[in-house]
Amino acid sequence: MDKFLRRKDSSSRIDDEEPSTSVTKNLKKVVKRKYDEDYIKYGLSWCCDKTALRPRCIICGDQLSNESMVPSKLKRHLYLSHPSCANKDKQYFKRCLEQNKK
């Protein structure tokens, strides 16, 4: 029973050592995705933000977040927001992009 009640000797720890905290364990790695030219097939182009390139929908002009630069989320935006344009090819979106730039 004594072995369960004994506590570790706190004097064995060096004063310079800091105890580990749960805050450092819970930090997530931040992933910065970059724009890829293949995103044009989802109807998205890039726009220049002060910090990074972000995707912008060619059809509606919505600027999407960096976290949404996953092909599945880009595809979901196209199918839910613009179902009439969901089956269009790359050339259609390139033409739309050129018309928007003019």
Side-chain angles (χ1 to χ4, degrees):
M1 185 74 165
D2 274 345
K3 69 179 183 179
F4 295 112
L5 297 176
R6 288 187 194 172
R7 295 185 179 175
K8 291 183 180 178
D9 187 18
S10 62
S11 63
S12 66
R13 190 178 70 185
I14 301 174
D15 291 335
D16 293 340
E17 290 183 32
E18 303 242 348
S20 62
T21 61
S22 62
V23 174
T24 57
K25 293 178 184 177
N26 292 335
L27 292 177
K28 290 184 178 179
K29 183 179 178 184
V30 177
V31 177
K32 297 282 184 173
R33 295 190 179 267
K34 294 182 181 179
Y35 177 77
D36 188 15
E37 291 297 324
D38 289 336
Y39 292 163
I40 192 87
K41 67 182 175 184
Y42 302 120
L44 294 154
S45 177
W46 60 275
C47 66
C48 193
D49 193 10
K50 293 180 181 178
T51 57
L53 297 175
R54 295 178 67 187
R56 176 174 285 191
C57 182
I58 295 170
I59 300 164
C60 63
D62 284 347
Q63 187 174 354
L64 305 174
S65 67
N66 189 14
E67 294 144 358
S68 67
M69 281 217 286
V70 180
S72 62
K73 291 184 181 179
L74 299 176
K75 195 174 190 179
R76 183 177 63 190
H77 171 78
L78 178 64
Y79 280 91
L80 292 178
S81 300
H82 316 290
S84 62
C85 299
N87 296 326
K88 304 289 184 180
D89 60 345
K90 279 185 179 181
Q91 298 302 323
Y92 172 78
F93 292 118
K94 286 182 180 179
R95 285 193 307 267
C96 288
L97 181 62
E98 289 174 9
Q99 289 175 355
N100 287 343
K101 285 184 179 179
K102 290 179 182 178

Short mmCIF file of all heavy atoms in Angstrom, two decimals, residues 42-90:
data_model
loop_
_atom_site.label_atom_id
_atom_site.label_comp_id
_atom_site.label_asym_id
_atom_site.label_seq_id
_atom_site.Cartn_x
_atom_site.Cartn_y
_atom_site.Cartn_z
N TYR A 42 -12.16 23.66 -61.88
CA TYR A 42 -13.23 23.82 -60.90
C TYR A 42 -13.84 25.22 -60.95
O TYR A 42 -14.62 25.60 -60.11
CB TYR A 42 -12.71 23.57 -59.48
CG TYR A 42 -12.10 22.20 -59.31
CD1 TYR A 42 -10.78 22.06 -58.93
CD2 TYR A 42 -12.84 21.04 -59.53
CE1 TYR A 42 -10.21 20.81 -58.77
CE2 TYR A 42 -12.28 19.79 -59.38
CZ TYR A 42 -10.97 19.68 -59.00
OH TYR A 42 -10.40 18.45 -58.86
N GLY A 43 -13.43 26.01 -61.96
CA GLY A 43 -13.97 27.35 -62.12
C GLY A 43 -13.35 28.36 -61.20
O GLY A 43 -13.96 29.36 -60.87
N LEU A 44 -12.11 28.12 -60.80
CA LEU A 44 -11.45 29.03 -59.87
C LEU A 44 -10.14 29.56 -60.44
O LEU A 44 -9.37 28.83 -61.06
CB LEU A 44 -11.17 28.31 -58.55
CG LEU A 44 -12.45 27.95 -57.82
CD1 LEU A 44 -12.24 26.77 -56.93
CD2 LEU A 44 -12.94 29.13 -57.02
N SER A 45 -9.94 30.82 -60.23
CA SER A 45 -8.70 31.47 -60.59
C SER A 45 -8.06 31.97 -59.30
O SER A 45 -8.59 31.72 -58.22
CB SER A 45 -9.00 32.65 -61.52
OG SER A 45 -7.82 33.35 -61.83
N TRP A 46 -6.98 32.67 -59.37
CA TRP A 46 -6.35 33.17 -58.16
C TRP A 46 -6.51 34.68 -58.10
O TRP A 46 -6.69 35.36 -59.10
CB TRP A 46 -4.87 32.80 -58.11
CG TRP A 46 -4.08 33.34 -59.25
CD1 TRP A 46 -3.92 32.77 -60.48
CD2 TRP A 46 -3.35 34.56 -59.28
NE1 TRP A 46 -3.15 33.55 -61.27
CE2 TRP A 46 -2.77 34.65 -60.56
CE3 TRP A 46 -3.14 35.58 -58.38
CZ2 TRP A 46 -2.00 35.75 -60.94
CZ3 TRP A 46 -2.35 36.65 -58.76
CH2 TRP A 46 -1.80 36.72 -60.02
N CYS A 47 -6.45 35.19 -56.91
CA CYS A 47 -6.43 36.63 -56.70
C CYS A 47 -5.28 36.91 -55.76
O CYS A 47 -4.91 36.10 -54.93
CB CYS A 47 -7.75 37.14 -56.16
SG CYS A 47 -8.13 36.58 -54.52
N CYS A 48 -4.72 38.06 -55.94
CA CYS A 48 -3.53 38.39 -55.15
C CYS A 48 -3.96 39.09 -53.87
O CYS A 48 -4.51 40.19 -53.90
CB CYS A 48 -2.61 39.28 -55.97
SG CYS A 48 -0.97 39.44 -55.26
N ASP A 49 -3.72 38.44 -52.77
CA ASP A 49 -3.97 39.00 -51.45
C ASP A 49 -2.64 39.56 -50.96
O ASP A 49 -1.59 39.24 -51.49
CB ASP A 49 -4.49 37.91 -50.51
CG ASP A 49 -5.06 38.49 -49.23
OD1 ASP A 49 -5.22 39.71 -49.15
OD2 ASP A 49 -5.34 37.70 -48.32
N LYS A 50 -2.64 40.35 -49.92
CA LYS A 50 -1.40 40.90 -49.40
C LYS A 50 -0.48 39.82 -48.85
O LYS A 50 0.73 39.94 -48.91
CB LYS A 50 -1.70 41.92 -48.30
CG LYS A 50 -2.38 43.16 -48.82
CD LYS A 50 -2.66 44.13 -47.71
CE LYS A 50 -3.38 45.36 -48.26
NZ LYS A 50 -3.72 46.31 -47.21
N THR A 51 -1.06 38.76 -48.34
CA THR A 51 -0.24 37.72 -47.72
C THR A 51 0.02 36.53 -48.63
O THR A 51 1.11 35.98 -48.63
CB THR A 51 -0.92 37.21 -46.44
OG1 THR A 51 -2.23 36.73 -46.77
CG2 THR A 51 -1.02 38.31 -45.42
N ALA A 52 -0.96 36.12 -49.43
CA ALA A 52 -0.79 34.91 -50.25
C ALA A 52 -1.81 34.90 -51.38
O ALA A 52 -2.75 35.68 -51.41
CB ALA A 52 -0.97 33.68 -49.38
N LEU A 53 -1.60 33.97 -52.29
CA LEU A 53 -2.57 33.76 -53.36
C LEU A 53 -3.76 33.01 -52.81
O LEU A 53 -3.62 32.04 -52.08
CB LEU A 53 -1.93 32.94 -54.48
CG LEU A 53 -0.76 33.58 -55.19
CD1 LEU A 53 -0.17 32.60 -56.19
CD2 LEU A 53 -1.18 34.84 -55.89
N ARG A 54 -4.95 33.48 -53.17
CA ARG A 54 -6.17 32.83 -52.70
C ARG A 54 -7.06 32.55 -53.89
O ARG A 54 -7.08 33.31 -54.85
CB ARG A 54 -6.88 33.75 -51.71
CG ARG A 54 -6.04 33.95 -50.44
CD ARG A 54 -6.69 34.87 -49.49
NE ARG A 54 -7.90 34.27 -48.94
CZ ARG A 54 -8.74 34.93 -48.17
NH1 ARG A 54 -8.51 36.17 -47.85
NH2 ARG A 54 -9.82 34.35 -47.70
N PRO A 55 -7.82 31.49 -53.84
CA PRO A 55 -8.70 31.17 -54.97
C PRO A 55 -9.91 32.10 -55.04
O PRO A 55 -10.46 32.49 -54.02
CB PRO A 55 -9.12 29.73 -54.69
CG PRO A 55 -9.01 29.58 -53.23
CD PRO A 55 -7.88 30.46 -52.81
N ARG A 56 -10.27 32.44 -56.26
CA ARG A 56 -11.46 33.27 -56.48
C ARG A 56 -12.29 32.61 -57.57
O ARG A 56 -11.78 32.22 -58.61
CB ARG A 56 -11.07 34.67 -56.93
CG ARG A 56 -12.28 35.53 -57.27
CD ARG A 56 -11.93 36.91 -57.57
NE ARG A 56 -11.63 37.56 -56.30
CZ ARG A 56 -11.49 38.85 -56.16
NH1 ARG A 56 -11.57 39.64 -57.18
NH2 ARG A 56 -11.23 39.36 -54.97
N CYS A 57 -13.56 32.50 -57.31
CA CYS A 57 -14.47 31.88 -58.26
C CYS A 57 -14.61 32.79 -59.49
O CYS A 57 -14.83 33.99 -59.37
CB CYS A 57 -15.83 31.65 -57.60
SG CYS A 57 -17.01 30.83 -58.68
N ILE A 58 -14.46 32.20 -60.65
CA ILE A 58 -14.56 32.97 -61.90
C ILE A 58 -16.00 33.40 -62.14
O ILE A 58 -16.25 34.50 -62.62
CB ILE A 58 -14.06 32.11 -63.08
CG1 ILE A 58 -12.56 31.84 -62.92
CG2 ILE A 58 -14.32 32.79 -64.41
CD1 ILE A 58 -12.01 30.82 -63.89
N ILE A 59 -16.95 32.59 -61.76
CA ILE A 59 -18.35 32.84 -62.08
C ILE A 59 -18.97 33.87 -61.14
O ILE A 59 -19.55 34.85 -61.58
CB ILE A 59 -19.14 31.51 -62.04
CG1 ILE A 59 -18.53 30.55 -63.07
CG2 ILE A 59 -20.61 31.75 -62.32
CD1 ILE A 59 -18.93 29.13 -62.89
N CYS A 60 -18.85 33.67 -59.84
CA CYS A 60 -19.52 34.56 -58.89
C CYS A 60 -18.58 35.58 -58.25
O CYS A 60 -19.03 36.54 -57.64
CB CYS A 60 -20.22 33.76 -57.80
SG CYS A 60 -19.13 32.78 -56.76
N GLY A 61 -17.28 35.37 -58.34
CA GLY A 61 -16.33 36.33 -57.80
C GLY A 61 -16.05 36.16 -56.32
O GLY A 61 -15.39 37.00 -55.72
N ASP A 62 -16.56 35.10 -55.70
CA ASP A 62 -16.29 34.86 -54.28
C ASP A 62 -14.82 34.53 -54.07
O ASP A 62 -14.22 33.77 -54.82
CB ASP A 62 -17.13 33.69 -53.76
CG ASP A 62 -18.57 34.07 -53.54
OD1 ASP A 62 -18.87 35.28 -53.56
OD2 ASP A 62 -19.39 33.16 -53.36
N GLN A 63 -14.25 35.12 -53.04
CA GLN A 63 -12.88 34.82 -52.66
C GLN A 63 -12.92 33.78 -51.56
O GLN A 63 -13.52 33.99 -50.51
CB GLN A 63 -12.18 36.08 -52.17
CG GLN A 63 -10.72 35.90 -51.94
CD GLN A 63 -10.04 37.21 -51.60
OE1 GLN A 63 -10.64 38.26 -51.65
NE2 GLN A 63 -8.78 37.15 -51.27
N LEU A 64 -12.28 32.65 -51.79
CA LEU A 64 -12.32 31.54 -50.85
C LEU A 64 -11.12 31.57 -49.93
O LEU A 64 -10.10 32.18 -50.23
CB LEU A 64 -12.39 30.22 -51.61
CG LEU A 64 -13.55 30.11 -52.61
CD1 LEU A 64 -13.43 28.84 -53.41
CD2 LEU A 64 -14.87 30.17 -51.90
N SER A 65 -11.23 30.88 -48.81
CA SER A 65 -10.15 30.88 -47.83
C SER A 65 -9.06 29.89 -48.22
O SER A 65 -9.23 29.05 -49.10
CB SER A 65 -10.70 30.49 -46.45
OG SER A 65 -11.13 29.15 -46.48
N ASN A 66 -7.94 29.99 -47.54
CA ASN A 66 -6.81 29.10 -47.80
C ASN A 66 -7.16 27.67 -47.43
O ASN A 66 -6.69 26.73 -48.06
CB ASN A 66 -5.59 29.58 -47.01
CG ASN A 66 -4.34 28.83 -47.40
OD1 ASN A 66 -4.31 28.15 -48.41
ND2 ASN A 66 -3.31 28.95 -46.60
N GLU A 67 -7.99 27.49 -46.42
CA GLU A 67 -8.38 26.14 -46.00
C GLU A 67 -9.24 25.44 -47.03
O GLU A 67 -9.31 24.22 -47.06
CB GLU A 67 -9.15 26.22 -44.67
CG GLU A 67 -8.28 26.71 -43.54
CD GLU A 67 -9.05 27.58 -42.58
OE1 GLU A 67 -10.24 27.84 -42.82
OE2 GLU A 67 -8.45 28.02 -41.59
N SER A 68 -9.88 26.19 -47.90
CA SER A 68 -10.75 25.58 -48.90
C SER A 68 -10.01 25.24 -50.18
O SER A 68 -10.63 24.86 -51.16
CB SER A 68 -11.92 26.51 -49.21
OG SER A 68 -11.45 27.66 -49.85
N MET A 69 -8.70 25.36 -50.19
CA MET A 69 -7.94 25.03 -51.40
C MET A 69 -7.63 23.54 -51.48
O MET A 69 -6.55 23.14 -51.87
CB MET A 69 -6.65 25.85 -51.47
CG MET A 69 -6.89 27.23 -51.94
SD MET A 69 -5.65 27.93 -52.98
CE MET A 69 -4.33 28.29 -51.92
N VAL A 70 -8.58 22.75 -51.12
CA VAL A 70 -8.51 21.31 -51.28
C VAL A 70 -9.43 20.99 -52.46
O VAL A 70 -10.54 21.52 -52.53
CB VAL A 70 -9.00 20.60 -50.00
CG1 VAL A 70 -8.95 19.11 -50.15
CG2 VAL A 70 -8.22 21.07 -48.80
N PRO A 71 -8.98 20.18 -53.41
CA PRO A 71 -9.82 19.93 -54.59
C PRO A 71 -11.25 19.50 -54.28
O PRO A 71 -12.18 19.89 -54.98
CB PRO A 71 -9.05 18.85 -55.34
CG PRO A 71 -7.64 19.08 -54.96
CD PRO A 71 -7.68 19.55 -53.53
N SER A 72 -11.45 18.74 -53.23
CA SER A 72 -12.82 18.31 -52.91
C SER A 72 -13.70 19.49 -52.49
O SER A 72 -14.88 19.54 -52.84
CB SER A 72 -12.79 17.25 -51.80
OG SER A 72 -12.24 17.79 -50.62
N LYS A 73 -13.14 20.45 -51.77
CA LYS A 73 -13.93 21.61 -51.36
C LYS A 73 -14.17 22.56 -52.53
O LYS A 73 -15.22 23.20 -52.62
CB LYS A 73 -13.24 22.34 -50.21
CG LYS A 73 -13.25 21.54 -48.93
CD LYS A 73 -12.64 22.31 -47.80
CE LYS A 73 -12.65 21.47 -46.53
NZ LYS A 73 -12.05 22.19 -45.40
N LEU A 74 -13.20 22.66 -53.43
CA LEU A 74 -13.38 23.50 -54.61
C LEU A 74 -14.46 22.91 -55.52
O LEU A 74 -15.29 23.63 -56.06
CB LEU A 74 -12.06 23.61 -55.37
CG LEU A 74 -10.90 24.25 -54.59
CD1 LEU A 74 -9.64 24.22 -55.42
CD2 LEU A 74 -11.23 25.66 -54.15
N LYS A 75 -14.44 21.60 -55.64
CA LYS A 75 -15.44 20.91 -56.44
C LYS A 75 -16.83 21.08 -55.82
O LYS A 75 -17.82 21.27 -56.53
CB LYS A 75 -15.07 19.44 -56.53
CG LYS A 75 -15.78 18.67 -57.57
CD LYS A 75 -15.20 17.26 -57.64
CE LYS A 75 -15.69 16.50 -58.81
NZ LYS A 75 -15.10 15.16 -58.88
N ARG A 76 -16.89 21.01 -54.49
CA ARG A 76 -18.17 21.18 -53.80
C ARG A 76 -18.73 22.58 -54.04
O ARG A 76 -19.94 22.74 -54.25
CB ARG A 76 -17.98 20.93 -52.30
CG ARG A 76 -19.29 21.03 -51.53
CD ARG A 76 -19.11 20.71 -50.09
NE ARG A 76 -18.21 21.69 -49.48
CZ ARG A 76 -17.70 21.57 -48.27
NH1 ARG A 76 -17.97 20.52 -47.54
NH2 ARG A 76 -16.92 22.50 -47.78
N HIS A 77 -17.86 23.61 -54.04
CA HIS A 77 -18.33 24.97 -54.32
C HIS A 77 -18.92 25.05 -55.72
O HIS A 77 -19.98 25.65 -55.92
CB HIS A 77 -17.17 25.97 -54.18
CG HIS A 77 -17.54 27.35 -54.65
ND1 HIS A 77 -18.30 28.21 -53.89
CD2 HIS A 77 -17.29 27.99 -55.82
CE1 HIS A 77 -18.49 29.34 -54.57
NE2 HIS A 77 -17.88 29.22 -55.74
N LEU A 78 -18.25 24.44 -56.68
CA LEU A 78 -18.73 24.48 -58.06
C LEU A 78 -20.08 23.77 -58.19
O LEU A 78 -21.01 24.30 -58.79
CB LEU A 78 -17.70 23.84 -58.99
CG LEU A 78 -18.07 23.77 -60.46
CD1 LEU A 78 -18.20 25.18 -61.04
CD2 LEU A 78 -17.04 22.98 -61.23
N TYR A 79 -20.21 22.59 -57.62
CA TYR A 79 -21.44 21.82 -57.77
C TYR A 79 -22.61 22.41 -56.98
O TYR A 79 -23.76 22.32 -57.43
CB TYR A 79 -21.23 20.36 -57.37
CG TYR A 79 -20.57 19.55 -58.45
CD1 TYR A 79 -19.19 19.43 -58.52
CD2 TYR A 79 -21.33 18.93 -59.43
CE1 TYR A 79 -18.58 18.70 -59.52
CE2 TYR A 79 -20.74 18.20 -60.44
CZ TYR A 79 -19.37 18.09 -60.48
OH TYR A 79 -18.77 17.38 -61.48
N LEU A 80 -22.36 23.01 -55.84
CA LEU A 80 -23.45 23.56 -55.04
C LEU A 80 -23.83 24.98 -55.47
O LEU A 80 -25.01 25.33 -55.51
CB LEU A 80 -23.09 23.56 -53.56
CG LEU A 80 -22.96 22.18 -52.91
CD1 LEU A 80 -22.56 22.33 -51.45
CD2 LEU A 80 -24.27 21.42 -53.02
N SER A 81 -22.86 25.80 -55.79
CA SER A 81 -23.14 27.20 -56.13
C SER A 81 -23.50 27.39 -57.60
O SER A 81 -24.28 28.27 -57.94
CB SER A 81 -21.94 28.07 -55.79
OG SER A 81 -21.66 28.00 -54.42
N HIS A 82 -22.89 26.59 -58.47
CA HIS A 82 -23.08 26.77 -59.91
C HIS A 82 -23.34 25.43 -60.59
O HIS A 82 -22.51 24.94 -61.35
CB HIS A 82 -21.84 27.43 -60.52
CG HIS A 82 -21.31 28.56 -59.72
ND1 HIS A 82 -21.96 29.76 -59.61
CD2 HIS A 82 -20.18 28.67 -58.96
CE1 HIS A 82 -21.25 30.56 -58.82
NE2 HIS A 82 -20.18 29.92 -58.42
N PRO A 83 -24.47 24.81 -60.32
CA PRO A 83 -24.72 23.47 -60.90
C PRO A 83 -24.82 23.48 -62.43
O PRO A 83 -24.52 22.49 -63.07
CB PRO A 83 -26.03 23.04 -60.26
CG PRO A 83 -26.65 24.27 -59.76
CD PRO A 83 -25.56 25.24 -59.47
N SER A 84 -25.19 24.62 -63.02
CA SER A 84 -25.29 24.67 -64.48
C SER A 84 -23.91 24.65 -65.14
O SER A 84 -23.78 24.26 -66.30
CB SER A 84 -26.06 25.92 -64.91
OG SER A 84 -25.36 27.08 -64.50
N CYS A 85 -22.88 25.06 -64.42
CA CYS A 85 -21.52 25.10 -64.96
C CYS A 85 -20.67 23.93 -64.50
O CYS A 85 -19.48 23.86 -64.80
CB CYS A 85 -20.83 26.39 -64.54
SG CYS A 85 -21.64 27.87 -65.13
N ALA A 86 -21.25 23.00 -63.79
CA ALA A 86 -20.48 21.92 -63.18
C ALA A 86 -19.88 20.97 -64.22
O ALA A 86 -18.81 20.41 -63.99
CB ALA A 86 -21.35 21.13 -62.22
N ASN A 87 -20.52 20.82 -65.36
CA ASN A 87 -20.03 19.88 -66.37
C ASN A 87 -19.24 20.55 -67.49
O ASN A 87 -18.98 19.93 -68.51
CB ASN A 87 -21.20 19.09 -66.96
CG ASN A 87 -21.87 18.24 -65.91
OD1 ASN A 87 -21.22 17.73 -65.01
ND2 ASN A 87 -23.18 18.09 -66.02
N LYS A 88 -18.87 21.79 -67.31
CA LYS A 88 -18.11 22.52 -68.34
C LYS A 88 -16.64 22.10 -68.27
O LYS A 88 -16.14 21.65 -67.25
CB LYS A 88 -18.22 24.03 -68.12
CG LYS A 88 -19.64 24.55 -68.09
CD LYS A 88 -20.27 24.50 -69.44
CE LYS A 88 -21.66 25.13 -69.37
NZ LYS A 88 -22.35 25.14 -70.62
N ASP A 89 -15.94 22.31 -69.39
CA ASP A 89 -14.53 21.94 -69.44
C ASP A 89 -13.62 23.14 -69.13
O ASP A 89 -14.11 24.25 -68.90
CB ASP A 89 -14.18 21.34 -70.81
CG ASP A 89 -14.45 22.32 -71.95
OD1 ASP A 89 -15.15 23.32 -71.72
OD2 ASP A 89 -13.93 22.08 -73.06
N LYS A 90 -12.32 22.91 -69.16
CA LYS A 90 -11.34 23.95 -68.81
C LYS A 90 -11.42 25.14 -69.76
O LYS A 90 -11.27 26.28 -69.34
CB LYS A 90 -9.92 23.39 -68.89
CG LYS A 90 -9.47 22.63 -67.70
CD LYS A 90 -8.00 22.27 -67.91
CE LYS A 90 -7.44 21.51 -66.74
NZ LYS A 90 -6.02 21.20 -66.93
#
